[in-house]
Amino acid sequence: MTDLEIAQSVKALNIKEVAGKLGIEEDLLTCYGNDKAKLDLSLLNKPNKAKLVLVTAISPTPAGEGKSTTTIGLADALNALGKKTCVCLREPSLGPVFGVKGGACGGGYAQVIPMEDINLHFTGDLHAITTANNLICAIIDNHIYQGNKLNIDPTRVLIHRVLDMNDRALRNIVIGLGGQSNGVPREDHFDITVASEVMAILCLATSLADFKEKINDMLVAYTYDKKPVTVRDLGCAGAVTLVMKDAIKPNLVQTLEQTPAIIHGGPFANIAHGCNSLIATKMALGLADYVVTEAGFGADLGAEKFFDIKCRKGNIKPDAVVLVATIRALKMHGGVAKEDLTLENVDALKLGLANLAQHAKNISKFGLPLVIAINRFNSDTQSEIKVLEDFAKENNLEIALSDVFANGSKGGIDLANKVIELCSKANDFNYLYDINLTIKQKISKICKEIYYASDINYSQTAKNSIARLTKLGYDKLPICMAKTQYSFSDNPKLLGAPRDFTIEIKDVLPATGAGFLVVLAGDIMRMPGLPKEPAAMKMDVVNDKVEGLF
């Protein structure tokens, strides 16, 4: 059975009953049918009491790692062991859904449902974010057209229109053509919605009022004399907040095994900070005894940003980390082609372990206990499994085989028990860098201590941006690295654990509303393109039944 067929074969519990598992009363729900609901923000008033478990992964490969599947399966397994558990996930973007990835709700017997709705429009959050962002853009261009009282330089507008779709044709455009009545012509481009600062602000806000204040703080342009222009100067934060009044509320759904799942926000981890909303996580911490959440892509991106940005901003502390790997992916890091992954290759696996080892070492720098979850495939051999077990023993690392894809919660019991044990211990959680370091010092900390770069090269554009941001007083913000997810370096072809490479810093962009600086490393694009054969080409709805979603 496909993932979609498995999901469609399970009858969902009424969402009010799912809410009841977390002690949520019906009057705090805004139901979207019988299987989805928005949660009232008053639930944030409950004191945080739960153990927080972060699930991250090795550097992703086309072979797949199954991070979301493991996250969901672990939450089901913890519930099966009698632990009141809630899973917190990001909302899928339509870009990857229609592009290469297809659905993004887990897989096999470890999924969240209704996966068709979650993967598509869900409760409309991403559309609201798109509208809120584009409202600011429209007001800027209208302001320039209507006389430009703020003296905005049209060549120095920082915010860009967004669309929740992969569309390379929108990477470089010209707007305002067609005569005087159509606005002031200028170059512009679209970003994908999940790379927008509005998305980041949603995911780092603590309330609707805090969201509005962060929107006000957004640096959106410079004047002709290079002075900053914020949304506060434009006077439209109230309207933007109005658009987001429902989208700021987290969404409650369930897993196939009826474990409560809160899904909210979805910034990409290779170009944004890659975590679900702080509101959702904090709400779950007050409702459950265990909260399992994930961070996007590999631990060098999602996990580092979870610790240094989300935990710092939200004053939350993780209790344990699960590092997901597959033998297939590790063999790819060891040089095996995708078509040969089903063949046993112990030597390649041993080479690929360098990637796993570096991620594990990096997590230890944050003072957190770790268990490695090996997401099993049928092609895994006993000899290959033994290599992993020996590696863990030699490096004094906890390891657990996870088979939640095929067996649901039953396949995650060993992993869940080890997570419970880790959570029972005290830890020395800390951040990688002091927020008061200079911008370059913070970038250096990440590049040299997480990526193991030997050198960092700054373009003149990046140097100018750093000088300007420092002069404006934005140098005390955390760093959000934007780089390829496929490698520790900024070169997607350097797999494993490369050494003796230089990170190329192209630019440093302000995200002053979200409260961080985006550092562009290598050839990173904020608007992906569709592949030659998009996943969308296999999707349809026949006799009211969704087909081909995953």
Side-chain angles (χ1 to χ4, degrees):
M1 295 174 70
T2 66
D3 291 346
L4 179 57
E5 289 169 338
I6 292 171
Q8 291 174 338
S9 71
V10 175
K11 181 174 175 56
L13 192 66
N14 188 288
I15 199 63
K16 294 178 182 178
E17 295 182 61
V18 177
K21 293 185 176 187
L22 294 175
I24 301 171
E25 298 175 359
E26 288 186 20
D27 62 350
L28 298 178
L29 302 175
T30 301
C31 294
Y32 287 62
N34 295 321
D35 51 12
K36 303 179 292 294
K38 285 281 186 183
L39 297 174
D40 193 89
L41 294 184
S42 66
L43 290 166
L44 283 167
N45 297 330
K46 294 180 178 291
N48 294 351
K49 60 178 182 178
K51 300 291 187 181
L52 179 59
V53 181
L54 175 70
V55 180
T56 185
I58 62 171
S59 302
T61 70
E65 288 67 52
K67 175 159 52 65
S68 296
T69 301
T70 303
T71 303
I72 296 161
L74 171 59
D76 282 337
L78 287 167
N79 257 332
L81 290 172
K83 305 297 182 182
K84 185 180 177 183
T85 305
C86 181
V87 60
C88 284
L89 300 169
R90 293 177 296 165
E91 297 181 52
S93 164
L94 289 175
V97 168
F98 290 135
V100 176
K101 193 174 182 181
C105 292
Y109 289 89
Q111 296 189 60
V112 283
I113 53 174
M115 69 95 86
E116 304 99 310
D117 294 352
I118 297 167
N119 279 315
L120 297 174
H121 303 277
F122 202 16
T123 56
D125 293 347
L126 268 72
H127 297 296
I129 294 164
T130 301
T131 302
N133 180 96
N134 293 346
L135 173 60
I136 299 171
C137 295
I139 286 176
I140 287 175
D141 283 303
N142 183 62
H143 182 91
I144 295 171
Y145 173 75
Q146 299 289 356
N148 201 5
K149 184 178 179 181
L150 291 173
N151 201 31
I152 294 170
D153 183 348
T155 68
R156 291 190 172 91
V157 175
L158 302 178
I159 187 172
H160 304 287
R161 288 167 172 81
V162 298
L163 185 71
D164 190 36
M165 189 62 58
N166 292 0
D167 193 345
R168 61 171 52 83
L170 296 177
R171 286 175 183 164
N172 296 284
I173 60 173
V174 178
I175 63 173
L177 298 179
Q180 186 178 6
S181 64
N182 292 325
V184 177
R186 66 180 181 88
E187 290 186 40
D188 201 2
H189 70 258
F190 273 73
D191 294 330
I192 191 166
T193 297
V194 286
S196 69
E197 187 175 356
V198 176
M199 170 65 86
I201 288 173
L202 169 73
C203 289
L204 291 171
T206 55
S207 66
L208 191 62
D210 184 50
F211 174 87
K212 181 179 178 179
E213 189 62 24
K214 284 177 164 57
I215 289 291
N216 263 321
D217 288 341
M218 281 182 67
L219 177 58
V220 292
Y222 291 106
T223 65
Y224 281 106
D225 49 359
K226 299 182 181 179
K227 293 181 180 178
V229 178
T230 65
V231 172
R232 182 175 282 103
D233 299 319
L234 294 171
C236 62
V240 172
T241 305
L242 178 62
V243 171
M244 295 294 295
K245 69 180 180 63
D246 294 320
I248 199 168
K249 299 175 182 178
N251 308 290
L252 179 67
V253 288
Q254 63 193 285
T255 71
L256 293 177
E257 298 190 21
Q258 302 174 348
T259 297
I262 300 178
I263 301 181
H264 194 220
F268 277 176
N270 60 338
I271 42 184
H273 73 285
C275 307
N276 69 279
S277 77
L278 188 57
I279 286 175
T281 302
K282 283 199 161 190
M283 192 176 287
L285 288 170
L287 295 169
D289 294 328
Y290 283 80
V291 174
V292 184
T293 190
E294 67 172 0
F297 290 129
D300 58 317
L301 287 168
E304 185 273 318
K305 295 171 185 179
F306 180 89
F307 301 140
D308 282 322
I309 297 176
K310 181 173 179 175
C311 290
R312 194 192 304 258
K313 295 286 184 182
N315 193 29
I316 57 177
K317 177 181 176 181
D319 293 280
V321 178
V322 176
L323 178 60
V324 180
T326 63
I327 288 173
R328 288 163 53 87
L330 290 170
K331 287 193 291 190
M332 283 201 84
H333 279 292
V336 174
K338 186 177 179 181
E339 57 268 23
D340 297 326
L341 290 176
T342 56
L343 303 175
E344 182 177 280
N345 194 326
V346 168
D347 291 337
L349 174 59
K350 289 179 178 178
L351 288 173
L353 282 172
N355 187 271
L356 176 62
Q358 185 162 317
H359 282 297
K361 183 177 180 181
N362 286 347
I363 290 168
S364 70
K365 292 178 180 179
F366 294 92
L368 292 169
L370 165 75
V371 57
I372 296 168
I374 302 302
N375 187 21
R376 292 192 67 172
F377 280 74
N378 290 332
S379 58
D380 299 345
T381 69
Q382 286 303 313
S383 296
E384 291 171 333
I385 292 172
K386 187 176 187 305
V387 167
L388 283 171
E389 292 173 340
D390 290 344
F391 163 81
K393 189 177 295 184
E394 290 165 6
N395 290 276
N396 197 30
L397 293 168
E398 288 285 347
I399 191 168
L401 296 177
S402 173
D403 206 6
V404 297
F405 181 92
N407 297 310
S409 62
K410 293 179 181 178
I413 296 299
D414 182 38
L415 174 61
N417 278 320
K418 289 183 176 177
V419 165
I420 292 169
E421 183 180 353
L422 290 180
C423 287
S424 68
K425 301 175 181 177
N427 67 62
D428 299 312
F429 175 61
N430 59 84
Y431 307 123
L432 181 69
Y433 53 80
D434 186 330
I435 203 71
N436 294 311
L437 294 176
T438 67
I439 294 173
K440 280 191 174 182
Q441 285 173 330
K442 286 178 281 196
I443 293 172
S444 180
K445 276 273 189 180
I446 297 171
C447 290
K448 294 190 174 181
E449 294 190 28
I450 299 297
Y451 307 156
Y452 287 72
S454 55
D455 201 5
I456 305 167
N457 183 50
Y458 292 88
S459 71
Q460 190 58 50
T461 299
K463 291 177 182 176
N464 293 343
S465 294
I466 289 171
R468 181 168 55 252
L469 292 168
T470 300
K471 184 178 180 180
L472 291 172
Y474 295 129
D475 54 317
K476 305 307 180 188
L477 298 177
I479 299 299
C480 181
M481 295 294 296
K483 75 167 186 68
T484 178
Q485 65 268 33
Y486 298 113
S487 173
F488 280 108
S489 74
D490 57 7
N491 179 355
K493 295 181 180 179
L494 290 181
L495 304 185
R499 296 290 187 272
D500 300 321
F501 63 89
T502 298
I503 292 276
E504 299 287 340
I505 305 299
K506 300 294 183 69
D507 203 356
V508 180
L509 306 176
T512 55
F516 55 69
L517 301 177
V518 180
V519 177
L520 302 181
D523 296 323
I524 192 72
M525 287 180 289
R526 294 163 67 91
M527 170 55 83
L530 290 171
K532 188 173 182 178
E533 295 184 13
M537 306 307 290
K538 299 176 183 178
M539 298 178 189
D540 202 351
V541 55
V542 179
N543 296 325
D544 295 327
K545 190 173 183 180
V546 174
E547 293 183 355
L549 190 56
F550 200 54

